[in-house]
Coordinates of all heavy atoms in Angstrom, one line a residue:
D1 N 19.9 -11.9 -17.7 CA 19.4 -12.1 -19.1 C 18.0 -11.6 -19.2 O 17.7 -11.0 -20.3 CB 19.4 -13.6 -19.4 CG 20.8 -14.2 -19.7 OD1 21.7 -13.4 -20.0 OD2 20.9 -15.4 -19.6
E2 N 17.2 -11.7 -18.2 CA 15.8 -11.1 -18.3 C 15.9 -9.6 -18.3 O 15.2 -9.0 -19.1 CB 15.0 -11.6 -17.1 CG 14.6 -13.1 -17.1 CD 14.1 -13.6 -15.8 OE1 14.5 -13.2 -14.7 OE2 13.2 -14.5 -15.9
L3 N 16.8 -9.0 -17.5 CA 16.9 -7.6 -17.5 C 17.4 -7.1 -18.9 O 16.9 -6.1 -19.4 CB 17.9 -7.1 -16.4 CG 17.4 -7.2 -15.0 CD1 18.5 -6.7 -14.1 CD2 16.2 -6.3 -14.8
R4 N 18.3 -7.8 -19.5 CA 18.8 -7.4 -20.8 C 17.7 -7.4 -21.9 O 17.6 -6.6 -22.7 CB 20.0 -8.3 -21.3 CG 21.3 -7.8 -20.6 CD 22.5 -8.6 -21.3 NE 22.6 -9.9 -20.8 CZ 23.3 -10.3 -19.8 NH1 24.0 -9.4 -19.1 NH2 23.3 -11.6 -19.4
E5 N 16.9 -8.5 -21.8 CA 15.8 -8.7 -22.7 C 14.8 -7.5 -22.5 O 14.3 -6.9 -23.5 CB 15.1 -10.0 -22.5 CG 13.9 -10.2 -23.5 CD 13.2 -11.5 -23.2 OE1 13.6 -12.3 -22.3 OE2 12.2 -11.8 -23.9
W6 N 14.4 -7.2 -21.3 CA 13.4 -6.2 -21.0 C 14.0 -4.8 -21.4 O 13.2 -4.0 -22.0 CB 13.1 -6.1 -19.5 CG 12.4 -7.4 -19.1 CD1 11.8 -8.4 -19.8 CD2 12.3 -7.9 -17.7 NE1 11.3 -9.4 -19.0 CE2 11.6 -9.1 -17.8 CE3 12.7 -7.4 -16.5 CZ2 11.4 -9.8 -16.6 CZ3 12.5 -8.1 -15.3 CH2 11.8 -9.3 -15.4
S7 N 15.3 -4.6 -21.2 CA 15.9 -3.3 -21.6 C 15.8 -3.1 -23.1 O 15.6 -2.0 -23.5 CB 17.3 -3.2 -21.1 OG 17.4 -3.3 -19.7
R8 N 15.9 -4.2 -23.8 CA 15.9 -4.1 -25.3 C 14.4 -4.0 -25.8 O 14.1 -3.2 -26.7 CB 16.5 -5.4 -25.9 CG 16.6 -5.4 -27.4 CD 17.3 -6.6 -27.9 NE 16.5 -7.8 -27.6 CZ 16.9 -8.7 -26.7 NH1 18.0 -8.5 -25.9 NH2 16.2 -9.8 -26.5
K9 N 13.5 -4.7 -25.2 CA 12.1 -4.7 -25.6 C 11.3 -3.6 -25.1 O 10.3 -3.1 -25.8 CB 11.5 -6.1 -25.3 CG 12.0 -7.3 -26.0 CD 11.4 -8.6 -25.5 CE 9.9 -8.6 -25.8 NZ 9.3 -9.9 -25.4
F10 N 11.6 -3.1 -23.9 CA 10.8 -2.1 -23.3 C 11.6 -0.9 -22.8 O 11.6 -0.6 -21.6 CB 10.0 -2.7 -22.1 CG 9.3 -4.0 -22.3 CD1 9.8 -5.2 -21.8 CD2 8.2 -4.1 -23.2 CE1 9.2 -6.4 -22.0 CE2 7.6 -5.3 -23.4 CZ 8.1 -6.5 -22.9
P11 N 12.3 -0.3 -23.7 CA 13.3 0.8 -23.2 C 12.6 2.0 -22.6 O 13.2 2.8 -21.9 CB 14.0 1.1 -24.5 CG 13.1 0.8 -25.6 CD 12.4 -0.4 -25.1
S12 N 11.3 2.3 -23.0 CA 10.7 3.5 -22.5 C 9.5 3.2 -21.6 O 8.6 4.0 -21.4 CB 10.2 4.3 -23.7 OG 9.3 3.6 -24.5
Y13 N 9.5 2.0 -21.0 CA 8.4 1.6 -20.2 C 8.6 2.1 -18.7 O 9.7 2.4 -18.3 CB 8.2 0.1 -20.2 CG 7.4 -0.4 -21.4 CD1 7.7 0.1 -22.7 CD2 6.4 -1.4 -21.3 CE1 6.9 -0.4 -23.8 CE2 5.7 -1.8 -22.3 CZ 5.9 -1.3 -23.6 OH 5.2 -1.8 -24.7
S14 N 7.5 2.1 -18.0 CA 7.6 2.4 -16.6 C 8.2 1.2 -15.9 O 8.3 0.1 -16.5 CB 6.2 2.7 -16.0 OG 5.7 3.8 -16.6
I15 N 8.5 1.3 -14.6 CA 9.2 0.3 -13.8 C 8.4 -0.1 -12.6 O 8.0 0.8 -11.8 CB 10.6 0.7 -13.5 CG1 11.4 0.8 -14.7 CG2 11.2 -0.4 -12.5 CD1 12.8 1.4 -14.5
G16 N 8.0 -1.3 -12.5 CA 7.3 -1.8 -11.3 C 8.1 -2.6 -10.4 O 9.2 -3.1 -10.8
I17 N 7.7 -2.8 -9.1 CA 8.4 -3.6 -8.2 C 7.4 -4.6 -7.5 O 6.4 -4.1 -6.8 CB 9.0 -2.8 -7.1 CG1 10.1 -1.9 -7.7 CG2 9.6 -3.7 -6.0 CD1 10.9 -1.0 -6.7
P18 N 7.5 -5.9 -7.8 CA 6.6 -6.8 -7.1 C 6.8 -6.9 -5.6 O 8.0 -6.8 -5.2 CB 7.0 -8.2 -7.8 CG 7.5 -7.8 -9.1 CD 8.3 -6.5 -8.8
A19 N 5.8 -7.0 -4.9 CA 5.9 -7.2 -3.4 C 6.7 -8.4 -3.1 O 6.5 -9.5 -3.7 CB 4.5 -7.2 -2.8
A20 N 7.7 -8.3 -2.2 CA 8.5 -9.4 -1.9 C 9.2 -9.3 -0.5 O 10.4 -9.0 -0.4 CB 9.6 -9.5 -2.9
S21 N 8.4 -9.5 0.5 CA 8.9 -9.4 1.9 C 10.0 -10.5 2.1 O 10.9 -10.3 2.9 CB 7.8 -9.6 2.9 OG 7.2 -10.8 2.9
E22 N 9.9 -11.6 1.4 CA 10.8 -12.7 1.5 C 12.2 -12.3 0.9 O 13.2 -12.9 1.2 CB 10.3 -14.0 0.9 CG 9.1 -14.5 1.6 CD 8.5 -15.8 0.9 OE1 9.3 -16.6 0.5 OE2 7.3 -15.9 0.8
L23 N 12.2 -11.2 0.1 CA 13.5 -10.7 -0.4 C 14.0 -9.6 0.4 O 15.1 -9.1 0.1 CB 13.3 -10.3 -1.9 CG 12.9 -11.4 -2.9 CD1 12.8 -10.9 -4.3 CD2 13.9 -12.6 -2.8
G24 N 13.2 -9.1 1.3 CA 13.7 -8.1 2.2 C 13.1 -6.7 2.2 O 13.6 -5.7 2.8
F25 N 11.9 -6.6 1.7 CA 11.2 -5.3 1.7 C 9.7 -5.4 1.7 O 9.2 -6.4 1.2 CB 11.7 -4.4 0.6 CG 11.1 -4.8 -0.8 CD1 10.0 -4.2 -1.3 CD2 11.8 -5.8 -1.5 CE1 9.5 -4.6 -2.5 CE2 11.3 -6.2 -2.7 CZ 10.1 -5.6 -3.2
V26 N 9.0 -4.4 2.2 CA 7.6 -4.3 2.2 C 7.2 -2.9 1.8 O 7.8 -1.9 2.1 CB 7.0 -4.6 3.6 CG1 5.5 -4.4 3.6 CG2 7.3 -6.0 4.0
G27 N 6.1 -2.8 1.0 CA 5.5 -1.5 0.6 C 4.3 -1.2 1.4 O 3.4 -2.0 1.5
L28 N 4.3 0.0 2.1 CA 3.1 0.4 2.8 C 2.4 1.5 2.0 O 3.0 2.6 1.9 CB 3.5 0.9 4.2 CG 4.3 0.0 5.1 CD1 4.6 0.6 6.4 CD2 3.5 -1.3 5.3
D29 N 1.3 1.2 1.4 CA 0.6 2.1 0.5 C -0.6 2.8 1.2 O -1.6 2.2 1.5 CB 0.1 1.3 -0.7 CG -0.3 2.2 -1.9 OD1 0.1 3.4 -1.9 OD2 -1.1 1.7 -2.7
C30 N -0.4 4.1 1.4 CA -1.5 4.9 2.1 C -2.3 5.7 1.1 O -1.8 6.7 0.5 CB -0.8 5.8 3.1 SG -2.0 6.8 4.0
D31 N -3.5 5.3 0.9 CA -4.4 6.0 -0.1 C -5.4 7.0 0.6 O -6.5 7.2 0.1 CB -5.2 5.0 -1.0 CG -4.3 4.4 -2.1 OD1 -3.2 4.9 -2.2 OD2 -4.7 3.5 -2.7
V32 N -5.0 7.5 1.7 CA -5.9 8.5 2.4 C -5.9 9.8 1.6 O -4.8 10.3 1.2 CB -5.3 8.7 3.8 CG1 -6.1 9.9 4.5 CG2 -5.4 7.5 4.7
L33 N -7.1 10.3 1.3 CA -7.2 11.4 0.4 C -7.2 12.8 1.2 O -7.0 13.8 0.5 CB -8.5 11.3 -0.4 CG -8.5 10.2 -1.4 CD1 -9.9 10.0 -2.1 CD2 -7.4 10.4 -2.5
D34 N -7.5 12.8 2.4 CA -7.4 14.0 3.2 C -6.0 14.4 3.4 O -5.2 13.6 4.0 CB -8.2 13.9 4.5 CG -8.2 15.1 5.3 OD1 -7.2 15.4 6.1 OD2 -9.1 15.9 5.2
V35 N -5.6 15.6 3.0 CA -4.1 16.0 3.1 C -3.6 15.9 4.5 O -2.5 15.3 4.7 CB -4.0 17.4 2.5 CG1 -2.5 17.8 2.7 CG2 -4.4 17.4 1.0
E36 N -4.2 16.4 5.4 CA -3.7 16.5 6.8 C -3.7 15.1 7.4 O -2.7 14.7 8.1 CB -4.6 17.4 7.7 CG -3.9 17.7 9.0 CD -2.6 18.4 8.9 OE1 -2.4 19.2 8.0 OE2 -1.7 18.1 9.8
Q37 N -4.7 14.3 7.2 CA -4.8 12.9 7.7 C -3.6 12.1 7.1 O -3.0 11.3 7.7 CB -6.1 12.3 7.4 CG -7.3 12.9 8.2 CD -8.6 12.3 7.9 OE1 -8.7 11.4 7.0 NE2 -9.6 12.7 8.6
S38 N -3.4 12.3 5.8 CA -2.4 11.5 5.1 C -1.0 11.9 5.7 O -0.2 11.0 6.0 CB -2.4 11.8 3.6 OG -1.3 11.2 2.9
R39 N -0.8 13.1 5.9 CA 0.5 13.6 6.5 C 0.7 13.0 7.9 O 1.8 12.6 8.3 CB 0.5 15.1 6.6 CG 1.8 15.7 7.1 CD 1.8 17.2 7.2 NE 1.7 17.8 5.9 CZ 0.6 18.5 5.4 NH1 -0.5 18.6 6.2 NH2 0.6 18.9 4.2
E40 N -0.4 13.0 8.7 CA -0.3 12.4 10.1 C -0.1 10.9 10.1 O 0.6 10.4 10.9 CB -1.6 12.8 10.8 CG -1.8 14.2 11.2 CD -0.6 14.8 12.0 OE1 -0.2 14.1 13.0 OE2 -0.1 15.9 11.7
C41 N -0.6 10.2 9.1 CA -0.4 8.8 8.9 C 1.1 8.6 8.7 O 1.7 7.6 9.2 CB -1.2 8.2 7.8 SG -3.0 8.0 8.3

């Protein structure tokens, strides 16, 4: 029901994902600005 409501109210919005390790996933966000260092990470 929530998804249907959002699809109707926000059809052209971006999509976010709340962090939820308890649901089975983790996001590792690397903001290293040096290209080579970022690649090595």
Side-chain angles (χ1 to χ4, degrees):
D1 285 342
E2 288 169 327
L3 286 180
R4 279 191 284 269
E5 178 183 1
W6 298 341
S7 297
R8 184 178 64 255
K9 293 177 63 176
F10 312 110
S12 61
Y13 277 46
S14 298
I15 296 171
I17 297 181
S21 65
E22 294 178 42
L23 296 183
F25 71 96
V26 174
L28 305 180
D29 192 20
C30 180
D31 282 352
V32 174
L33 290 174
D34 182 273
V35 175
E36 192 60 35
Q37 291 177 358
S38 177
R39 183 181 295 113
E40 290 303 314
C41 287

